[in-house]
Amino acid sequence: MSEKRIVRVAAAQIAPVLDRPGGTLEKVLNAVAEAAAKGVGFMVFPETFVPYYPYFSFIDPPYRMGAKHLALYDEAVVVPGPVTQAMSEAARRHQMVIVLGVNERDGGSLYNTQLVFDADGMLVLKRRKITPTYHERMVWGQGDGAGLKAVDTAVGRVGALACWEHYNPLARYALMTDGEEIHASQFPGSMVGQMFHDQIEAAIRHHAAESACFVVNATGWLTDEQRAAIAPDEAHRKAISGGCHTAIISPEGQHVVPPLTQGEGLLIADCDMALVMKRKRMMDSVGHYARPELLSLHLDDRPARGIVRTSACPSSSHDREIDDGNMPQHDAQFPDSQDDRRFAVVRNQAG
């Protein structure tokens, strides 16, 4: 506890590439290299940043979304696959823990997914947003409780939530009980103006203070040209303007550096991890300040599966573990190969 441990963190507020497949991933890899050159050891990108957040679903009525939705399927990320391979190599090369938001395609469904890569390139967490918000339910399926946990990484225990999941106190409490030290927060940004900006700030500052952890929050940015392309009707562009609040928050609920609210850039700060215990000494929400005999959380952390087989041996390749030498996994995190929790990261749920 007396040892001083500083982690340099970064949150990226950059624009996606909407008109060229693979373009957003290129920007992500360039941003990782830029951050690494500045000594960053932990980095967060915005919500479903690869290939892009489905802003069209906030503007277009459902009957007009079909072609754009299918286009998103075409560019969506399969786990494991080329995108996870590229991110794994980047994390390992730069010895950086990276949290990337992606549109994940699994079978015939898309999911709002957060991927956490450790500094050795291992994919240590794949979690899906448990309930897409409002218009997003036309785009993504629902996640499950398998990813509501913190994971050990080179920089400490890391947890992650997306957007309005921060308004779900029980989801946040699940991460608190798992001892998260750094919380990766992701929002789309460029939506709903000042009101969204204010809501983001309130949510992440409260979580930092309540969980006694650092929060690294990334929001996306749309250029004027991109907003015009998404919303040809100028009256609709206000709906996809403003609402950016890329920030780094201390366990005491304070900004470590001033937030980034306009334009593209990397927000970088040095975080003194001793502040985590300093805050917990005063108020440990899941320890001496908790009353579990009065208030407790029941979490079903089993992955949601469309079928549960009771046969003695696997009946198809769908039930076997992925054996992908190019996508290393943390075996120590999953000591029991029969444990259903392995499906959260290392099994192909849909085939």
Side-chain angles (χ1 to χ4, degrees), residues 9-14 40 42-46 185 216-219 246-248 260 265-269:
V9 305
Q13 181 168 294
I14 52 180
V40 169
F42 178 81
M43 189 170 189
V44 179
F45 289 90
S185 172
V216 182
N217 182 68
T219 56
T246 294
I248 299 167
L260 181 61
L266 300 182
L267 193 66
I268 298 175

Side-chain angles (χ1 to χ4, degrees), residues 7 11 16 30 39 75 101 121 123 156 163 170 178 193 208 223 281 301 313 321:
V7 176
N30 289 338
E75 291 191 55
L123 176 60
C163 202
L170 300 183
D178 220 13
T223 66
R281 183 185 70 85
D301 65 358
C313 60
E321 294 176 30

